[in-house]
Amino acid sequence: MKKNKILLLTTTALFTALVTVGTAVIQIPVGNGYAHFGDSMIYLASCILPGPCAVFAASVGAAAADLATGFAVYAPATAVIKALNALPFLLMRIYLKKKKKDDKILNWQICLMLVPTTLVTIFGYLIAEYIMFGQEFALVSAFTGGWLQPGGSLAVFLILAAALDKIGFKKKVTSQLPIRKRSNII
């Protein structure tokens, strides 16, 4: 059991680092911010890790990237928005687990969750920028590039999820992780 808890801790740390690196290393300037592939790692973490661990990896990993790349003003909003990005996947996994269909990363139900998570990103940053910088800045930012960033991550997620499903990655990893039996928290 202790070995499984260490595996969960290291897997969570790995996904946290992947979110940070995916966000910080490849930054494509768009509008007032940048596009990156960190969200694809959030989607993967949300499809593999238990709920609290996926939320941690998403929130801390993305906020750390903001702090490391000169966008510290966004870090608090990013921490909240990226935690919320994980929720659609986690809720769908609860449903799939009840139906005994939570054995793969990629399926049509998970693909549907790409819509609400993208909307969370777009509207989350629209609200955050409205609060921080005002209406005009927020609207310009949302329409000039706010939609590009989640779109790029969506494509990377689909490719990685399909590849990982081919090697049975989720089943191999999740069979080793300590999962609560009586909880709906994935």
Side-chain angles (χ1 to χ4, degrees), residues 71-106:
F71 290 91
V73 69
Y74 283 96
T78 293
V80 173
I81 293 165
K82 298 309 174 183
L84 293 173
N85 278 147
L87 290 182
F89 296 99
L90 297 173
L91 293 172
M92 181 54 73
R93 285 186 57 211
I94 291 169
Y95 169 79
L96 291 172
K97 198 165 211 93
K98 286 180 183 175
K99 299 285 185 183
K100 300 192 184 322
K101 294 183 179 183
D102 188 37
D103 58 335
K104 293 193 177 240
I105 298 169
L106 193 60

Side-chain angles (χ1 to χ4, degrees), residues 18-30 33-43 58 61-63 65-66 69 71 78 81-82 85 121 125 145-157:
L18 287 171
V19 171
T20 303
V21 170
T23 304
V25 172
I26 300 175
Q27 293 184 343
I28 304 158
V30 290
Y34 60 91
H36 58 79
F37 301 115
D39 284 4
S40 63
M41 298 300 115
I42 292 171
Y43 307 157
D66 280 351
T69 59
F71 290 91
T78 293
I81 293 165
K82 298 309 174 183
N85 278 147
T121 299
Y125 282 109
W147 54 275
L148 286 173
Q149 184 268 308
S153 284
L154 181 147
V156 171
F157 167 73

Side-chain angles (χ1 to χ4, degrees), residues 3-59:
K3 180 181 171 186
N4 290 356
K5 288 182 181 180
I6 292 170
L7 179 63
L8 179 60
L9 180 65
T10 56
T11 306
T12 302
L14 174 66
F15 272 107
T16 304
L18 287 171
V19 171
T20 303
V21 170
T23 304
V25 172
I26 300 175
Q27 293 184 343
I28 304 158
V30 290
N32 296 321
Y34 60 91
H36 58 79
F37 301 115
D39 284 4
S40 63
M41 298 300 115
I42 292 171
Y43 307 157
L44 281 175
S46 301
C47 291
I48 296 169
L49 293 174
C53 298
V55 168
F56 177 88
S59 182

Side-chain angles (χ1 to χ4, degrees), residues 95-170:
Y95 169 79
L96 291 172
K97 198 165 211 93
K98 286 180 183 175
K99 299 285 185 183
K100 300 192 184 322
K101 294 183 179 183
D102 188 37
D103 58 335
K104 293 193 177 240
I105 298 169
L106 193 60
N107 56 47
W108 69 270
Q109 295 98 330
I110 290 295
C111 287
L112 287 177
M113 296 304 100
L114 293 165
V115 174
T117 196
T118 297
L119 294 174
V120 165
T121 299
I122 293 169
F123 288 106
Y125 282 109
L126 179 69
I127 293 166
E129 289 175 336
Y130 177 80
I131 293 168
M132 291 188 295
F133 308 117
Q135 179 181 355
E136 188 176 308
F137 183 93
L139 290 173
V140 168
S141 182
F143 287 109
T144 60
W147 54 275
L148 286 173
Q149 184 268 308
S153 284
L154 181 147
V156 171
F157 167 73
L158 292 174
I159 292 166
L160 289 175
L164 291 172
D165 276 345
K166 286 214 183 268
I167 62 169
F169 182 81
K170 182 173 182 175

